[in-house]
Amino acid sequence: MESIGSLTKTSFEKQICDQCLEWDLTRFFESEYTNSQRMKQYHIRIKKPEKQYESTDCDLCSILLRSTFYDLPGEGNPLDRESYELRAIEFEWLSPFEGAPLFLIICSQRLAQAIQDGSYSKSDLGTLIEENGCAILERTSALKMQVPSDRFNPQKTLNWISECKNHIQTICRPERRLIRDQYLVDCCELAVVAAKESYQYVALSYVWGPLSNDEALDENNKTPLLSDCLPLVVTDAITVTKSLGFRYLWIDKFCIVQDEPEIKHRQIADMDAVYANSELTIVAAAGLDGNYGLPGVSSRSRVATPAAELGESRVLWFQNPLASIRKSKWHTRGWTYQEAFLSRRRLVFLDDQTYFECGSAEHCEVIQGPPSLRNLFYTWRFRKIGLWSHSEQKHYHELFEYLNTILGDYTARELRYDSDSLLALAGILPHLRATPSGLRHVWGVPWDIDASDGGRDRQSKTWFACDTFVTGLCWNHVRNGWESSGKPRRRRMPPSSMFSPPFPPTWTWAGWDGQVEFDHKHVLLGPSALRMRARHFWLEDQHGRKSAVSAAAESTLSESFRYPILYIETWAVSPDRIRYREMPDGSVDWDIHGHMARRVCLSEGASSEAELARHLTENSKRWRCVLLGISVWKDRPEDVILLILRKEVDINFWGRVGIMILKCHAPDMVELAQELPFLTEQFRIK
């Protein structure tokens, strides 16, 4: 095993100010709890933190100043208050054990009281600690936390990998898939070589720096030597790979053929196998791009973790590594989403330590205690432990909850090129097809899921597939087109892209830049609760040639791109049946054929909801609401789902620019059908 630098222990011979020396922090362990919020009764009164900790030479003062949470939200300027309290908290989910650590926070008396009486919830406090970090108090006789070394220690990672391989679960040991035209970096020869099935390799996920194709792989030179001017992250990743006992490393920039589109697209489609087959994925989450490197490996030093001892106690600063990852530049990039999602094991390099996550465990260098301490990795916002636990296989009943998480996370990220909107997810889509959900899709919109229940005849399966497609079309943007910032934008494809039209379709989320979500009720009910109400629909290419949606769903990704037009024959809402009233807060009270609008989402085309209402009532030649489907619960209609369409520049086509969900008042489906005597029209949505 290759060593990386010298492994040094952090000294605790720190400077402590006279004020801190007066404190007896062990009293926090001896004190009783105030209530179910697990706050200790004992506390220390202090002055304003800025005044209290003017001496930056005291290591304990500097840690506690980071732990200052001040006051309740919306309670004025917290710096106007003179009295604060140093409090200790132990959450119930930490599974208390002998010598369990405590969280230290500095807060106002009002916030402390709110925590005690429960008006400031455990979830709110957990999110605050998770996002901002906190001080952790331990007895020196029962240390469960560790100050990371200033250098990367490969032995820790090898121990984590060994624990993963020996775990009783098999989720991290899937069968390896054969990959055509795969290339790897030989870390000993510094050359790109053709992979053999027997090769074990590590993968790298990082943010590209300034574009350069000097070392990119091309079809005519399949074994190029790597230059001496590699990004620091690449040289560091090569060092880490060798130190872990591996020889081969997969790096997208060097291992994907750039000058042969057919091979390149096939390699991109195999991304799920590339990462699933790798023994480990190195995630470079520190810094802004590949020139930053991996802290603690070579020239990039780690940021020291503050720690201080006081008598029989030790205070250590803890920043949840999951929060650090979510704040990183790496976490904002679209391509890196599937790279981590599809990996069996991830080793994340942060500025202060490394974090490891597989399908059965999470580890970081700071936490060395019993298994119950893994709850420190609990994410309050997402109610789960770990960052990639949702990448596990799901049953088809959970399909849209699954997709809502995936698409919400993915579409919130940035892509350098609009043409990557589906390509950067191309590995996850076949991965979903291999799961129990059996997902098929068209342009990223689910078409069919294999329920595998054996109880459906052919017609029932077709109806179920159509209902799944309807549910998939019910996405909406998190931000509306009339908002001042963060509003959606149509994607545009360069002429050289594999997409045939200059714009991807408006009816798919992939045709837009902007975070999307599915309606919460439809996520919970799933596709079995929605009913397609369009009379006919199919796909068309640019020349009017038709294709059944089922055929496109069975084709390859590049083949399905030939059919960007969705033809729907359905009922359109007559403009004279749309009534609305503008409210003082700028919203609109809708009345469409006697039904109230539960939700209105618009991607573009109007500066306000009121302007949208005027478009729909006064300009029906360019704006229409059309019936897509009806959600049903216990055989009763719940919602009427309408698509908002707008004429494209080419007047032969419409664009999907929004969705409207009406609250249904009809007692059953028969009465609803009688209540909706809309006009039947044909729409070609592009």
Side-chain angles (χ1 to χ4, degrees), residues 226-473:
L226 301 185
S227 74
D228 296 330
C229 301
L230 294 172
L232 184 59
V233 70
V234 173
T235 58
D236 284 352
I238 289 173
T239 302
V240 171
T241 299
K242 294 165 64 178
S243 75
L244 297 175
F246 298 99
R247 177 168 181 167
Y248 299 102
L249 176 64
W250 190 90
I251 308 174
D252 55 0
K253 185 174 183 179
F254 307 112
C255 299
I256 294 180
V257 176
Q258 300 296 326
D259 67 338
E260 287 290 333
E262 184 177 345
I263 297 177
K264 178 179 179 180
H265 297 148
R266 185 165 62 243
Q267 289 178 322
I268 290 175
D270 284 336
M271 292 281 273
D272 59 328
V274 169
Y275 285 96
N277 286 357
S278 68
E279 294 297 310
L280 176 75
T281 296
I282 297 171
V283 175
L288 298 179
D289 57 39
N291 296 318
Y292 191 83
L294 303 176
V297 175
S298 60
S299 59
R300 180 68 61 183
S301 301
R302 280 182 167 179
V303 175
T305 298
E309 286 189 6
L310 182 62
E312 298 179 3
S313 302
R314 187 183 75 173
V315 179
L316 174 77
W317 176 254
F318 177 72
Q319 175 66 63
N320 190 322
L322 277 63
S324 298
I325 293 171
R326 288 197 299 271
K327 294 175 183 177
S328 69
K329 180 68 174 178
W330 174 88
H331 196 259
T332 68
R333 306 304 299 170
W335 277 98
T336 62
Y337 180 79
Q338 70 171 1
E339 294 168 3
F341 182 99
L342 296 168
S343 298
R344 287 189 283 170
R345 307 178 187 94
R346 306 106 178 153
L347 179 66
V348 185
F349 280 80
L350 301 167
D351 275 311
D352 57 343
Q353 62 172 320
T354 54
Y355 168 77
F356 177 91
E357 182 175 327
C358 64
S360 57
E362 304 82 20
H363 300 281
C364 75
E365 295 181 56
V366 172
I367 301 175
Q368 300 295 317
S372 58
L373 275 180
R374 76 188 286 258
N375 287 306
L376 285 171
F377 298 124
Y378 188 82
T379 306
W380 284 95
R381 186 156 51 119
F382 300 109
R383 300 294 191 270
K384 66 179 184 180
I385 293 177
L387 201 59
W388 295 286
S389 59
H390 64 272
S391 62
E392 300 172 5
Q393 295 186 358
K394 298 290 181 181
H395 192 267
Y396 80 95
H397 287 301
E398 301 170 303
L399 172 67
F400 277 91
E401 181 181 1
Y402 197 30
L403 282 179
N404 199 39
T405 300
I406 293 173
L407 294 182
D409 289 349
Y410 173 69
T411 55
R413 298 186 174 216
E414 303 168 1
L415 289 168
R416 179 173 289 177
Y417 303 112
D418 282 346
S419 55
D420 289 344
S421 59
L422 267 176
L423 298 182
L425 208 66
I428 291 180
L429 295 173
H431 166 80
L432 294 179
R433 184 164 182 171
T435 65
S437 67
L439 174 72
R440 294 165 178 80
H441 73 96
V442 179
W443 285 90
V445 177
W447 156 253
D448 185 22
I449 53 180
D450 182 11
S452 300
D453 57 5
R456 289 192 176 96
D457 56 30
R458 182 179 181 84
Q459 186 178 34
S460 297
K461 289 182 177 180
T462 301
W463 287 344
F464 188 76
C466 295
D467 294 340
T468 303
F469 190 61
V470 168
T471 311
L473 291 172

Side-chain angles (χ1 to χ4, degrees), residues 25-31 40 99-102 137-139 313:
L25 299 182
T26 59
R27 292 187 61 182
F28 282 114
F29 294 103
E30 300 162 357
S31 173
K40 294 284 189 173
L102 300 172
L137 175 65
E138 298 182 279
R139 294 182 186 269
S313 302

Side-chain angles (χ1 to χ4, degrees), residues 555-605:
S555 63
T556 64
L557 190 63
S558 57
E559 289 173 345
S560 67
F561 288 162
R562 293 166 48 197
Y563 299 96
I565 301 166
L566 175 63
Y567 174 95
I568 293 182
E569 181 181 341
T570 187
W571 290 267
V573 180
S574 176
D576 61 3
R577 306 309 297 268
I578 300 176
R579 297 179 177 85
Y580 67 94
R581 180 164 57 97
E582 297 185 36
M583 308 302 290
D585 61 357
S587 63
V588 171
D589 185 10
W590 297 83
D591 180 342
I592 299 181
H593 207 281
H595 298 275
M596 296 173 55
R598 180 171 67 81
R599 192 170 191 180
V600 178
C601 302
L602 188 75
S603 301
E604 70 173 17

